[in-house]
Amino acid sequence: MPKIKTNRVRYPEGWELIEPTLRELEAKMREAENDPHDGKRKCEALWPIFTIAHQKSRYVYDLYYRRKDISKELYEFCLDQGYADRNLIAKWKKSGYERLCCLQCIQPRDHNFATTCICRVPKHLREEKVIECVHCGCGGCASGDS
């Protein structure tokens, strides 16, 4: 007889401390996904979704690496369940990518001349002082910016 699979997820210890914040961000994400995008450009409709995904990942990253408030087990659980982006967090651990807004901004295939996004250029080297990334709406995520 085959095993019966259940949908019960065993939450690790400490989950009750971070659950309200993650649930709140999930609710914001659902609201952003259902928000009408009348009058916005096609890319602008996705900007709030990228922002909330960044907030969720940054929240889990800060709890584990900076404040050391959660266990490795809870951190891995959050990554496995999709509460945070594993690849984005891996980039944040590397030098020069500490403030990266999204992975799409460093993909050379998504940009003209096989370079990175304009938001990755430090503010003191830009010709235009106020910019917005086409992909995620970021105003600048270069590591040298303050």
Side-chain angles (χ1 to χ4, degrees), residues 76-143:
E76 287 295 328
F77 174 81
C78 289
L79 294 179
D80 292 339
Q81 295 297 317
Y83 289 106
D85 186 353
R86 183 182 304 270
N87 296 325
L88 185 58
I89 290 176
K91 284 293 182 190
W92 284 339
K93 291 190 276 184
K94 293 183 180 178
S95 178
Y97 295 97
E98 297 89 2
R99 298 186 64 226
L100 181 65
C101 55
C102 70
L103 291 171
Q104 207 169 8
C105 287
I106 59 170
Q107 300 283 332
R109 67 168 189 250
D110 295 336
H111 304 284
N112 295 339
F113 310 112
T115 60
T116 58
C117 185
I118 187 68
C119 68
R120 299 291 301 153
V121 177
K123 287 182 181 172
H124 67 278
L125 297 176
R126 291 186 200 147
E127 295 171 6
E128 301 172 23
K129 294 300 177 191
V130 179
I131 55 117
E132 281 185 337
C133 171
V134 175
H135 300 290
C136 62
C138 169
C141 62
S143 294

Side-chain angles (χ1 to χ4, degrees), residues 2-145:
K3 280 187 172 180
I4 298 174
K5 292 185 178 181
T6 62
N7 288 339
R8 288 199 170 156
V9 177
R10 294 192 41 90
Y11 295 104
E13 189 176 325
W15 171 251
E16 58 278 348
L17 299 174
I18 66 170
E19 181 183 19
T21 305
L22 290 176
R23 296 285 183 220
E24 180 184 323
L25 289 171
E26 284 290 324
K28 281 185 185 177
M29 179 70 85
R30 274 194 302 280
E31 186 178 307
E33 289 170 349
N34 295 330
D35 196 33
H37 52 271
D38 300 333
K40 294 182 183 176
R41 294 183 304 183
K42 193 178 200 179
C43 60
E44 284 180 2
L46 298 175
W47 290 357
I49 296 170
F50 278 112
T51 304
I52 295 168
H54 179 272
Q55 285 176 345
K56 286 186 343 184
S57 296
R58 182 57 78 172
Y59 176 68
V60 173
Y61 173 82
D62 286 342
L63 284 176
Y64 184 67
Y65 287 104
R66 298 231 172 121
R67 298 192 320 202
K68 305 201 184 313
D69 286 345
I70 61 174
S71 65
K72 182 167 180 64
E73 180 186 4
L74 182 55
Y75 171 72
E76 287 295 328
F77 174 81
C78 289
L79 294 179
D80 292 339
Q81 295 297 317
Y83 289 106
D85 186 353
R86 183 182 304 270
N87 296 325
L88 185 58
I89 290 176
K91 284 293 182 190
W92 284 339
K93 291 190 276 184
K94 293 183 180 178
S95 178
Y97 295 97
E98 297 89 2
R99 298 186 64 226
L100 181 65
C101 55
C102 70
L103 291 171
Q104 207 169 8
C105 287
I106 59 170
Q107 300 283 332
R109 67 168 189 250
D110 295 336
H111 304 284
N112 295 339
F113 310 112
T115 60
T116 58
C117 185
I118 187 68
C119 68
R120 299 291 301 153
V121 177
K123 287 182 181 172
H124 67 278
L125 297 176
R126 291 186 200 147
E127 295 171 6
E128 301 172 23
K129 294 300 177 191
V130 179
I131 55 117
E132 281 185 337
C133 171
V134 175
H135 300 290
C136 62
C138 169
C141 62
S143 294
D145 294 343

